[in-house]
Amino acid sequence: MTWKIVIGLWMTAVIVLGLSLPMSAQPQHWFELPTIPGLEEKARIMFFHVPTAWLASVAFVMSMIYGIKYLRKKNPDDDITSASAAGLGLLFCILATVTGAIWAKFSWGTYWNWDPRQTSIFVLLLIYGAYFALRSAVDIEEKRATLSAVYSIIGAVTMPFFMFIMPRILASLHPEPILNVQGKVHMNATMLVIFLASLTGFTGLFIWMWNLHIRTVRLETKHS
Amino acid sequence: MTIEFSGHSLKKVFNRRVIFENISFSLQPRTTLLITGRNGSGKSTLIKMLSGVLTPTAGEVKALWDGRDTMSNLHSMIGLVSPYLQMYDEFSPRENLQFVLAVRGMKSLTSRIQPLLDRLQLKGRLDDPVRTFSSGMKQRVKYAFALIHEPPILILDEPMANLDSNGIEMVKTIMDEHYKKGILVVATNDTTDVDRHDQRVNLDR
Amino acid sequence: MTAERQVPRASLWQATIAILAKDWKSELRTRYAISALVMFVITTISIIVFALGTEGASLNALSGMLWVAVFFAAMSGLSRTFVAEEERGTSMTLQLVASPTAVLLGKLCFNLALVIGLNTLVVVLYSVFISEFVIKTYSIFVVTVALGSIGFAASSTIIAAIIARANTKGTLYPVLAFPILLPLLLTVINGTRLATEGAFFEEALGEFNILVSYIVAVVAVSYILFDYIWKD
């Protein structure tokens, strides 16, 4: 109960601040966000788009890890955990794709550009879709768990190839990541705080929903 | 040289339903295990487990040759006849057996194919595709499949299925001969199928 | 009692060849997969030719369509090796007599033979009927098609093994296979494009690196995971 309230309040604060703090070219006060040339107001979407994309990938990794656990120990609970993570991952993936497309529309004029990041999130969406198509096509629980785990591992093995392929094929329209490779942060302090708060809030939301879903499914299967 | 074939606390769960649990037995040469139970009690499931084709939810099946574990090579040690076991019906019995010997690495035994098929009353149909056979003849081909490599362990699920009186005689002879040298496992609803047994597993609860 | 002999062990190589030979013999006799593939290829190429009409298309588009034809042809024929065993009930027979690795390798080689035949047919028909499709650097094209074939075979086989154990096998196969094959598709399309542009062989080395890594990764993961798919 407390967690629900905490996360609810936290996310509300993040959303309100993210959307309403004023932007100016030279921030004078602590509550002003700097304007990023070229993005201006649309930069606000970073608070919501990046965490959902991040979580979509994290959820996939979590699903795969619990899938591997299932393959080793054959504990049905691990399969429930794995499938729950995948379900939430699919949700966050859809959110990320949609928020990304909205951003693309406002920044580059079209909803879809096939640039590397958009393509990657789309492929992740395909893998999630395939994962659930597979699950719905197997009747026997033990077999369903095994095959899903195997497929998620195969998916995880082939996904990294996109990182090497995409740069060769299409020039990127995606803005230079604000958190770059050296870990140096180009965001100003206020922006960073809200961004990290959003990341934390979304992660908390994910964990809370994951936990809730697992417990629900466990109760359902016990009583069926 | 000794063979031991045993099962320890075998359990199988399908979709959270327990099919059977705590099944144990221990067999040496010249012993017969009889498995009985109603339809749906899990006889064929247990047979599949003993053949190494199904993994138990709990417990284990052990096959020892001179004390060494041979579970990874179980397919050379057992011959299985079962309603669930199908032959490749686009091939003839001869081709089916040639394939099975080639995969098992036993090509040298190819000369045994003809005499075995003759003995099983399939003379003259050696080279016809199995698809053209009656169910009784298909059952005989399954026996050929089980016996071609002279395995020490013979596992028969519904041994008399689809057979006429000639066939039943033939199977009883096979079981007698095998009983003298090896381990026999029979799963059936009809207890008159076996003349004697040393251990029994009854899956009816 | 013949137990005086040692329990024979089949060599992996022998068992693989035996399974490959069995699949091949069965295929020659029934001709299911081969007929499906040939008809599919002819149909797809015909559709492409008619769709292009007198307009033609850019070389980039043609390179892409070549591999689209290959993809769908592969989806129509490469699952057969596993699905047929399930449908006829011989899966258990195979589980009984052969080790899982031999089954995987045998069927992988079978699919490889099918893919190579398929790709040859596609490339020949494509070159003959679509006059705008001209290869300038043959070495790049040959290596791309060769590596692409192996990659296709590898991925298609392991996914076929998975869907053979599920219901609705037909429609599920492309759904599962597409995300896995996509990196391969993008790379071979790029390689084909380079070949039509007359690029130097060295320029395509990046593509070849990716293809080889992909093949190694997929075969390795197939080898490790196949036991879980195959055994119940």
Side-chain angles (χ1 to χ4, degrees):
Chain A
M1 192 60 190
T2 23
W3 274 117
K4 191 161 74 176
I5 298 178
V6 167
I7 292 176
L9 287 176
W10 184 278
M11 285 306 293
T12 312
V14 165
I15 293 174
V16 165
L17 288 176
L19 289 177
S20 60
L21 282 185
M23 284 185 142
S24 73
Q26 304 284 4
Q28 309 285 21
H29 311 278
W30 64 266
F31 54 80
E32 282 179 355
L33 300 169
T35 329
I36 296 173
L39 287 176
E40 292 121 25
E41 286 289 318
K42 303 155 210 162
R44 292 186 199 275
I45 201 144
M46 169 185 64
F47 297 134
F48 311 110
H49 169 70
V50 177
T52 47
W54 167 247
L55 279 173
S57 315
V58 165
F60 184 69
V61 173
M62 288 282 108
S63 176
M64 188 191 76
I65 290 178
Y66 279 92
I68 294 177
K69 265 193 170 178
Y70 177 84
L71 288 180
R72 297 173 106 231
K73 299 274 171 55
K74 305 283 182 188
N75 180 356
D77 282 342
D78 285 331
D79 178 54
I80 294 176
T81 311
S82 176
S84 289
L88 286 173
L90 176 61
L91 175 65
F92 279 105
C93 196
I94 294 175
L95 284 175
T97 311
V98 169
T99 49
I102 294 174
W103 190 358
K105 175 70 178 170
F106 289 127
S107 302
W108 311 320
T110 44
Y111 286 110
W112 204 261
N113 291 287
W114 291 116
D115 89 311
R117 294 245 170 77
Q118 272 193 316
T119 309
S120 308
I121 204 82
F122 178 67
V123 175
L124 191 58
L125 202 58
L126 285 180
I127 292 189
Y128 273 127
Y131 178 88
F132 283 106
L134 177 59
R135 283 190 80 90
S136 66
V138 184
D139 297 324
I140 300 177
E141 274 182 35
E142 292 83 11
K143 207 62 200 168
R144 182 194 314 153
T146 312
L147 291 180
S148 320
V150 166
Y151 186 70
S152 64
I153 296 173
I154 296 177
V157 163
T158 51
M159 272 228 70
F161 281 94
F162 283 106
M163 290 195 315
F164 301 113
I165 296 180
M166 297 313 304
R168 301 182 66 87
I169 298 184
L170 301 158
S172 174
L173 293 167
H174 227 91
E176 171 67 37
I178 296 181
L179 296 160
N180 65 18
V181 183
Q182 288 107 0
K184 287 220 300 255
V185 176
H186 294 308
M187 284 192 251
N188 94 328
T190 316
M191 220 175 201
L192 185 60
V193 164
I194 300 190
F195 177 74
L196 290 177
S198 179
L199 193 58
T200 315
F202 268 106
T203 309
L205 188 66
F206 172 75
I207 295 177
W208 178 68
M209 287 171 82
W210 194 13
N211 188 269
L212 196 60
H213 191 248
I214 293 174
R215 286 190 283 143
T216 313
V217 174
R218 281 210 199 134
L219 283 175
E220 271 174 5
T221 43
K222 271 204 181 64
H223 289 269
S224 64
Chain B
M1 143 12 270
T2 48
I3 308 232
E4 273 178 60
F5 190 48
S6 54
H8 305 266
S9 303
L10 294 170
K11 174 179 176 181
K12 188 64 189 172
V13 173
F14 264 135
N15 278 343
R16 295 171 197 267
R17 202 166 62 88
V18 178
I19 312 286
F20 53 73
E21 58 189 328
N22 247 324
I23 307 291
S24 300
F25 62 87
S26 178
L27 302 170
Q28 280 83 37
R30 285 182 291 281
T31 53
T32 303
L33 173 69
L34 176 65
I35 302 173
T36 54
R38 292 185 309 270
N39 287 336
S41 56
K43 292 196 303 296
S44 296
T45 308
L46 182 57
I47 292 282
K48 285 186 190 173
M49 220 179 258
L50 298 185
S51 312
V53 166
L54 197 59
T55 9
T57 311
E60 60 176 332
V61 177
K62 276 209 198 115
L64 300 174
W65 177 291
D66 280 342
R68 279 193 324 263
D69 175 51
T70 51
M71 278 307 286
S72 58
N73 206 20
L74 195 61
H75 48 256
S76 302
M77 304 245 295
I78 63 171
L80 174 66
V81 175
S82 159
Y84 292 100
L85 197 67
Q86 302 295 336
M87 301 288 107
Y88 288 97
D89 58 11
E90 72 270 30
F91 292 149
S92 69
R94 195 201 298 270
E95 288 169 327
N96 265 289
L97 292 175
Q98 281 169 341
F99 167 61
V100 157
L101 287 178
V103 171
R104 282 179 166 140
M106 297 178 188
K107 277 208 174 131
S108 55
L109 301 180
T110 338
S111 52
R112 288 200 207 157
I113 294 181
Q114 177 104 23
L116 179 60
L117 289 174
D118 286 348
R119 190 182 139 210
L120 293 173
Q121 299 158 17
L122 286 167
K123 207 180 183 105
R125 303 298 303 271
L126 264 62
D127 294 305
D128 295 338
V130 170
R131 158 181 77 236
T132 59
F133 285 13
S134 67
S135 52
M137 291 171 64
K138 282 186 184 166
Q139 184 79 348
R140 291 161 199 270
V141 178
K142 291 185 191 179
Y143 272 98
F145 172 68
L147 295 170
I148 185 72
H149 54 300
E150 288 190 18
I153 304 170
L154 195 58
I155 302 179
L156 308 177
D157 187 2
E158 310 286 347
M160 313 302 188
N162 297 314
L163 289 175
D164 55 16
S165 50
N166 272 342
I168 293 177
E169 276 305 308
M170 175 191 85
V171 170
K172 292 233 161 168
T173 316
I174 292 173
M175 291 205 296
D176 276 338
E177 284 176 13
H178 190 85
Y179 176 75
K180 292 190 185 107
K181 345 172 239 173
I183 295 174
L184 186 63
V185 177
V186 178
T188 178
N189 270 326
D190 186 350
T191 43
T192 60
D193 283 350
V194 279
D195 295 329
R196 69 187 94 62
H197 62 271
D198 307 284
Q199 293 178 41
R200 178 165 175 164
V201 166
N202 191 348
L203 294 176
D204 287 328
R205 268 169 290 148
Chain C
M1 169 78 159
T2 50
E4 270 69 41
R5 64 169 202 271
Q6 274 298 333
V7 181
R9 286 194 166 274
S11 85
L12 182 61
W13 185 236
Q14 280 180 322
T16 303
I17 302 268
I19 292 174
L20 170 62
K22 188 269 300 173
D23 271 3
W24 194 246
K25 201 161 158 182
S26 176
E27 190 48 47
L28 286 178
R29 221 167 264 197
T30 54
R31 279 186 292 278
Y32 289 143
I34 293 182
S35 330
L37 283 179
V38 168
M39 279 322 297
F40 204 97
V41 167
I42 293 178
T43 312
T44 315
I45 306 258
S46 306
I47 291 178
I48 292 178
V49 170
F50 284 125
L52 290 180
T54 47
E55 274 290 309
S58 70
L59 272 180
N60 276 356
L62 286 177
S63 304
M65 281 190 278
L66 172 74
W67 290 99
V68 165
V70 168
F71 173 76
F72 282 112
M75 291 296 103
S76 75
L78 294 186
S79 61
R80 178 147 179 85
T81 185
F82 278 108
V83 169
E85 304 276 3
E86 290 290 325
E87 277 172 359
R88 288 172 331 174
T90 49
S91 234
M92 183 167 134
T93 318
L94 208 49
Q95 281 182 55
L96 198 61
V97 300
S99 75
T101 311
V103 173
L104 175 66
L105 290 179
K107 290 183 178 291
L108 178 58
C109 292
F110 176 72
N111 272 345
L112 183 60
L114 275 184
V115 167
I116 290 177
L118 158 74
N119 281 351
T120 312
L121 181 63
V122 170
V123 166
V124 163
L125 287 181
Y126 217 69
S127 310
V128 165
F129 288 105
I130 300 180
S131 47
E132 303 92 347
F133 187 72
V134 174
I135 309 284
K136 296 215 181 93
T137 319
Y138 274 97
S139 53
I140 294 184
F141 190 63
V142 168
V143 176
T144 302
V145 173
L147 290 178
S149 303
I150 302 175
F152 249 102
S155 289
S156 306
T157 305
I158 189 74
I159 301 292
I162 292 179
I163 59 124
R165 294 306 172 107
N167 315 328
T168 68
K169 309 178 209 303
T171 47
L172 199 58
Y173 191 38
V175 168
L176 256 56
F178 180 60
I180 309 297
L181 278 171
L182 193 53
L184 178 72
L185 277 171
L186 292 173
T187 313
V188 292
I189 290 175
N190 217 28
T192 309
R193 183 181 56 79
L194 288 173
T196 56
E197 286 172 356
F200 293 115
F201 189 79
E202 292 72 30
E203 289 176 63
L205 282 181
E207 264 68 31
F208 299 152
N209 277 341
I210 294 175
L211 287 176
V212 171
S213 322
Y214 178 89
I215 292 170
V216 169
V218 171
V219 172
V221 93
S222 303
Y223 172 72
I224 296 172
L225 295 177
F226 187 69
D227 275 30
Y228 294 104
I229 303 172
W230 186 239
K231 292 192 79 94
D232 279 320

